[in-house]
Amino acid sequence: MPTYNEIMTTDLSTLTTAAERWDGMAGEFLKQETAYRRDVYGISMGQTWLGLSANAANKRFDVTLKEFQNAQVEAKAIAALLRDAHTQFVDLRGKLETARKEAVEAGMRVSDQGVVTFDTSQLGAGELNAYRHDPDYQQSVRKSVSSWQQRVDHLVQAVNDADDGVKIAFDAVVVDSDITDGTINGFNGKAQGDIEKYEAQNADDIAGRLAKGEKVSDADLAELRRAFRDNADDQAFSKTFLSGLGPEGAIKFTNELNDLAYDSDKSHKSVYLDLQGGLANTVAGATQVPGAVADMPPGSQKFKDWLASDDGAFYRQWTQGLEKAGTKNFGSNTNPLYGYQSFVSLMQHGDTEYDDQFLYQMGDDLIAAEKKHPGIFTEWGPGHDGIRADAIDGLLGVMSRNPDAATAFFDPSGNGAGPDHVGNDHLHYLAGSGDGTREWPKHVITGISVMEMDDPLHKAGLGAALEAATTGHPPLAAGQDPWPEIKHTDAQARVMHAVITELAPSAGTDGVAANMRQPLANALAAYTDDTHEILGGMDADYVRAATGEGTFRDGDTTHVAATQKDLVQFMRGLSEDPDAYATLHKAESRYIDVEMRGIPEGATDFERSAPLSKAGATLGAYSAIREDVINDERMAGYSEADWKSKIAYHIIGGVVTPLAIPTAGGSIVVGDALQRGVDTWAWQWGNSMKAEADVTANAGIADEYLNAHNQMVTMVDTWASDRTDIDTSTDKGKAQLQVLTDDILNGHDRGSSTAQKYLTDTTN
């Protein structure tokens, strides 16, 4: 294994020098072939030597001629492998050199052996004294040193992985791969100049044996893990490996890995799960759609044309094979295991993003399989450890990692505009109710009697995919809050409108599936600038669009619209979960603060009162929803005090923290860290809660601070205290403040009354 020092000091130019000599070797073999063909082989082909001896000689001469030809192929392949190795090593060493340079710039020292230490020689006297005596400083240094060491070690390992791959290729390139050409143990006439293809063939052999249930050595497993790790981004490896294994082989392979991990060999579980991750990433890499085709809407005609071409041959053959294997039962009759279930569970192990086109087609194929084979995704009896029966919901969870794919899959306008527009009913089928919608599979236990129960992960994937589809970013993690005014694409807004209208009719009576409440609250909260206007009820554009397209544009900004009734009932369905309600309420409070801060100095009474009246109306709707939830006898899983207390803890957390919203390209930080109106209100609330230790008391505090009057008085008072056009120390200023507060409270009464009407009318 090359060390850091060897990697940094080895003269890599010797590889290209050797490649040139092997090319020269191929030229010499060509000269020998030409001479042999002229001076020896040609004798038996002429008319001067006839009979049995000539025929016998001719066969032997054929073999020798083939050897000269094969020798040229092998020599050229070795030259190509040497150049391939040179390219890889130069690239990897360049990354290691960059890491070393950046580590030094960050205040580290990197030894000739690749050991990273903190360079105290760069510190001034004060910094050095702090380093010697401050434990926190020392801890931060240790973390930094460890981080840089890990980066260096990772890159050294990458070189070693590549080196092992080169060895595999050179061992294989000289093996005679055609035993029928008469040149037993001769030169390799089918030699290839691509290292990754040899690695893939070797990996195929190991995976194929494992898929058959054969015993595989620890060394072979280690090699397979290395091959996956070393070639995660290489399509030559991925396609060669998967072509050899085939969809059915891949399913058998992952089933065997799963059985070993959860049953037969639990002591090596991490090894088998890591192999599943490597296989999943290999599938993701091999099914990437190239170039301009990748930018086409999923399922478009241009994609179909590419699929039918030679360039799309691998993708076409793989997906066709997967379609056949997907509905095949690899389990027993009483505990079936269908190919799609295994394959989607495999996909969940990867950390490489799957292509939009592949995810869209997978979703279509799974839905088609379910319609053709009802009950295929039902879980029977004990099921299979590590494999979720509901492959559709599992795929949606995978899709949530690729927001663009999720948006395309759920966009009711289908696969784009123009001639490619075909429409789809994915959202209605998966999220709607009534005719033409999915009957979500149950977990069925048979015995003396038959019992049916919901999957504990029921619609978790759907919720995650819809959050991604409507926001354009992967689902938020626990502790992250949505920002209330993020720009959305037309497609994202169309999906959000469709989600509201699909779920609102049943939300008031049946609620929203528990696993969907928080992700959909995250999604809706990212549209708070729109829901604020809808609940405020003062913008005609929203009223017109609600019964029309459901979205409209204002300059370069796309807005979502819905009727007040649909929105209120949808929010009510989400609010069964106190954290979901709190997410919406927190986002609304932040947006109100933003709107109030946008009122210019010296604004007219109307310029002040209109925003405050809308703010009151929105909080009135929240008050009505809150009261409806806590007065509902169906409130599942929470006592009234529990529900209120959870809201309190959610809303006061993280108010003053700028928000990092994850995107496909990293993260963007949004929001104002100084939302004084929200901060003051939440700070007071937080101090009150610190004095209490029990849920009941905190529920009372929640009542006090969620009361719209108390919240708005606090926010308006804080807002006014920062302004020069309202002097609250004077009678005139106090009167102005009272008028503005009255505007808010009147708006609250209006919003609460309207929402209550919709909450008591959920059947129409």
Side-chain angles (χ1 to χ4, degrees), residues 672-707:
D672 181 358
L674 299 176
Q675 306 160 89
R676 286 200 58 222
V678 179
D679 293 344
T680 301
W681 166 64
W683 179 78
Q684 292 175 356
W685 191 349
N687 281 344
S688 298
M689 289 186 67
K690 287 175 186 176
E692 303 292 346
D694 64 275
V695 168
T696 303
N698 284 329
I701 294 168
D703 277 339
E704 178 182 353
Y705 282 93
L706 279 177
N707 179 287

Side-chain angles (χ1 to χ4, degrees), residues 33-66 69:
E33 178 199 352
T34 302
Y36 183 81
R37 184 187 295 272
R38 181 189 64 236
D39 299 333
V40 180
Y41 181 76
I43 297 174
S44 66
M45 298 297 291
Q47 297 299 313
T48 59
W49 187 10
L50 301 173
L52 293 176
S53 62
N55 291 337
N58 181 249
K59 290 180 181 180
R60 290 181 178 274
F61 294 164
D62 273 342
V63 170
T64 304
L65 182 65
K66 176 64 82 174
Q69 294 169 341

